[in-house]
Amino acid sequence: MDNSSAPRRERLRLVMVRRVSTVGQAADGYGLDAQDADCRRWNRGAGAGHKLVHSVVDGDKTSTSGKSTIDERDGLMDAVQWIADGRADGILAPNLDRLARELTVQEAVLSYVWALGGRVFTADHGEHLEDDESDPMRTAMRQMRGVFHQLDRGLIRKRLREGRASKGEKGGYAYGAPRYGQQVVDGVLVDLAEEKDVEDMIRRWHDEEGLGPRPICRRLNEAEVPSKRGGKWHPTTVARILSPEARAAANAQSARDRARRKEDTKRTRAQKILGSVS
């Protein structure tokens, strides 16, 4: 049979977009290698054998994990820039769930890529075509998948929170990094002998020599005694060891600082969005 007159399928330049989701990995272990394999498998079977010209990752050890909005996703923004620069024709992701964690972000990403003249493919679906007024079901089905992906992640987070709370109620260790002098073993908080010895020494310097946090901190650093994380000692850390009240106050201040940074981030993003539409 002569196939010389058969139309040749278009070969595109695609950027592979992968993302590590802490919540998703807890549920399915769908890591970067598996995502890469699925994308390449789809590409080989797509007929056209598109050219993968670039690959980006969000949420790995060298990126900002847990970010969901477009402007916080360095890898995704890099992929979009390739399209804007004319170096790529579209993006390829394992699925829409890895492209975006939330439905609103998913739709924003798709609209952004389409507005640049790019095309969007996922290994589990193929091409996601632009919205068409004559085919509203296309948009509805895509958005429904996004809704259920978002619901699934929300349920996973809920189960994790409830599991940690239940563990804490039963006396197990559930939250945060253990303080100096303790470590987690098989999910239980236990004393760490080497650090307990240092704690006892700190208290002796305070009780017997009358040293405060700063002189004790200086003495520890001069003796090259490592802190909990292996670095230099700070007076605040020494104060927490000497006084449970100081430790509680420092923890409360840390919580307030985290809340303030979260609000500052929201305001910055809101100002950026308002500035872009003004």
Side-chain angles (χ1 to χ4, degrees):
M1 180 177 179
D2 184 9
N3 293 323
S4 59
S5 60
R8 184 176 180 181
R9 297 190 64 175
E10 185 177 11
R11 191 166 187 260
L12 304 174
R13 300 165 299 166
L14 301 180
V15 177
M16 186 193 306
V17 178
R18 295 172 294 159
R19 181 175 64 83
V20 174
S21 169
T22 303
V23 172
Q25 282 187 310
D28 56 28
Y30 194 34
L32 296 177
D33 290 343
Q35 294 175 45
D36 182 275
D38 283 349
C39 287
R40 294 184 185 279
R41 186 180 303 110
W42 174 86
N43 191 46
R44 289 194 300 269
H50 302 304
K51 184 177 181 180
L52 301 179
V53 294
H54 188 45
S55 177
V56 299
V57 174
D58 279 310
D60 68 341
K61 293 180 179 179
T62 62
S63 182
T64 308
S65 181
K67 301 299 183 182
S68 60
T69 53
I70 299 176
D71 58 332
E72 294 175 316
R73 296 268 303 279
D74 294 339
L76 181 58
M77 290 303 294
D78 184 24
V80 170
Q81 191 63 50
W82 273 63
I83 298 173
D85 293 343
R87 293 178 289 168
D89 303 304
I91 59 177
L92 168 62
N95 52 44
L96 288 178
D97 183 39
R98 287 309 190 216
L99 191 61
R101 295 190 303 183
E102 301 173 3
L103 175 62
T104 53
V105 179
Q106 168 189 299
E107 294 301 292
V109 172
L110 294 173
S111 298
Y112 195 7
V113 174
W114 289 333
L116 291 171
R119 296 165 68 174
V120 180
F121 300 84
T122 59
D124 68 339
H125 175 82
E127 183 169 10
H128 294 271
L129 300 174
E130 291 189 57
D131 294 339
D132 186 342
E133 292 183 355
S134 65
D135 186 10
M137 283 298 294
R138 174 194 301 172
T139 302
M141 294 303 293
R142 182 188 71 241
Q143 291 179 347
M144 285 176 63
R145 286 195 296 272
V147 166
F148 283 108
H149 283 154
Q150 184 171 317
L151 173 61
D152 184 54
R153 285 186 298 276
L155 292 173
I156 291 172
R157 292 190 186 95
K158 180 176 181 290
R159 289 196 295 270
L160 290 173
R161 285 195 299 270
E162 291 175 345
R164 286 194 294 265
S166 176
K167 185 176 181 181
E169 290 172 357
K170 295 177 181 178
Y173 187 71
Y175 300 98
R179 68 176 183 81
Y180 193 84
Q182 294 183 320
Q183 64 179 339
V184 179
V185 178
D186 296 330
V188 178
L189 201 61
V190 299
D191 290 342
L192 185 58
E194 296 85 353
E195 293 183 357
K196 279 295 182 182
D197 290 341
V198 175
E199 279 192 331
D200 293 341
M201 181 173 61
I202 289 173
R203 292 191 177 94
R204 285 199 305 273
W205 289 345
H206 177 264
D207 296 340
E208 298 175 7
E209 301 182 38
L211 297 181
R214 290 187 180 280
I216 291 175
C217 179
R218 184 165 52 251
R219 185 178 289 186
L220 289 168
N221 288 330
E222 289 174 351
E224 298 184 350
V225 177
S227 66
K228 184 72 173 178
R229 297 183 179 180
K232 297 290 186 180
W233 283 83
H234 190 276
T236 302
T237 308
V238 175
R240 291 177 183 177
I241 292 175
L242 293 173
S243 169
E245 292 78 12
R247 181 165 61 248
N251 290 339
Q253 183 61 49
S254 295
R256 290 192 292 270
D257 290 343
R258 287 193 299 271
R260 187 186 68 253
R261 287 194 297 269
K262 186 175 181 180
E263 288 301 316
D264 289 345
T265 299
K266 287 182 179 179
R267 292 193 193 95
T268 300
R269 293 204 67 258
Q271 292 170 358
K272 184 185 299 183
I273 293 171
L274 290 173
S276 66
V277 298
S278 61

